[in-house]
């Protein structure tokens, strides 16, 4: 049966490369089917993703700052490095933002952190 062993040539719809097998060796398209990404949203989609990644980065920095703040305020000799980093960070942050953070911390964070600390104290005692 020579017909069955003959490989079928496919012309890639993406890059017009002739090939046999499942994937185009030149552009990697499956069965030569065009796999151009759709729904990327164009310019505004890209702008949105960029803003989203910026927001994620800002959140990450904020969380790091809060952790550092609690480590520094926990006291002890081992926290002098955290305190030094915190002091330099505070110099870079506007006073209004620090005031907002202090109010937020007194209203929500202290309660949450106390609850988390209680939870781990119970867990490891
Ligand atoms: Zn191709």
């Amino acid at each position: 049966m020579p017909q069955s062993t003959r490989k079928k040539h496919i012309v890639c719809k993406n890059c017009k490369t002739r090939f046999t097998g499942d994937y185009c060796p030149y552009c990697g398209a499956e069965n030569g089917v065009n796999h151009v990404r759709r729904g990327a949203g164009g310019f505004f989609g890209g702008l949105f993703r960029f803003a989203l990644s910026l927001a994620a980065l800002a959140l990450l920095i904020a969380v790091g700052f809060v952790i550092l703040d609690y480590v520094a305020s926990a006291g002890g000799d081992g926290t002098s490095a955290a305190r030094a980093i915190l002091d330099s960070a505070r110099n870079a942050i506007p006073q209004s933002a620090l005031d907002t953070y202090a109010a937020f911390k007194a209203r929500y964070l202290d309660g949450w952190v106390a609850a988390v600390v209680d939870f781990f104290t119970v867990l490891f005692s």
Side-chain angles (χ1 to χ4, degrees), residues 11-17 19 23-29 32-33:
V11 177
C12 179
K13 290 182 177 63
N14 224 16
C15 64
K16 311 291 182 228
T17 303
F19 67 99
Y23 296 96
C24 169
Y26 188 73
C27 73
V33 176

Side-chain angles (χ1 to χ4, degrees), residues 34-96:
N34 203 337
H35 270 286
V36 173
R37 271 178 62 190
R38 281 183 215 285
F43 174 75
F44 288 105
L47 203 68
F48 177 71
R49 280 200 306 278
F50 177 68
L52 208 66
S53 55
L54 272 188
L57 189 67
L59 190 73
L60 206 68
I61 290 170
V63 168
F65 180 79
V66 168
I67 290 171
L68 209 61
D69 187 31
Y70 276 96
V71 167
S73 61
D77 293 332
T79 60
S80 56
R83 196 177 297 277
I85 295 168
L86 202 65
D87 282 342
S88 60
R90 277 185 195 280
N91 288 333
I93 298 170
Q95 187 59 44
S96 59

